[in-house]
Amino acid sequence: MVSILGKKNHDYGDSFYKIYAKHGDFSTWIRLEDKVGRLENIVSGKEMLINNEVIEDIYLDIAGYCILSLASKQKLSEEGGLKHVDY
């Protein structure tokens, strides 16, 4: 999982870290809200227009976002760049 996560993040141009550096944990919360909303729709039986996603993929995405958040937080802390963002 970590290997695929690193490759995906690379292919996205390290976008997770860049957004996390700007918005901190708030950026993770938004991404998790999207995934939890999709999970809620699937388990509640709502009709899905794209129905080939399995719940396990959503769980992996959620875990991936959490791992990327922790890695980004550590990297920012080491660089002295972790800043609090007020919303």
Side-chain angles (χ1 to χ4, degrees):
M1 179 178 160
V2 173
S3 175
I4 289 174
L5 192 58
K7 290 175 184 176
K8 280 185 171 183
N9 192 47
H10 173 270
D11 290 351
Y12 278 95
D14 203 17
S15 66
F16 190 94
Y17 174 76
K18 291 173 186 173
I19 293 170
Y20 189 90
K22 284 184 182 179
H23 304 288
D25 292 322
F26 189 71
S27 62
T28 304
W29 175 64
I30 291 171
R31 292 173 189 244
L32 292 176
E33 282 282 321
D34 290 339
K35 288 297 172 179
V36 169
R38 181 145 176 84
L39 179 62
E40 182 180 7
N41 287 337
I42 289 173
V43 299
S44 69
K46 182 177 179 184
E47 180 184 4
M48 306 301 291
L49 299 179
I50 299 173
N51 58 8
N52 63 344
E53 185 173 26
V54 294
I55 290 177
E56 289 80 4
D57 290 340
I58 296 171
Y59 290 148
L60 288 171
D61 287 343
I62 290 170
Y65 287 143
C66 293
I67 290 168
L68 286 171
S69 294
L70 291 171
S72 296
K73 186 181 288 274
Q74 181 177 355
K75 182 177 176 180
L76 283 170
S77 179
E78 290 169 358
E79 295 174 352
L82 188 59
K83 296 178 176 50
H84 177 71
V85 179
D86 288 322
Y87 290 96

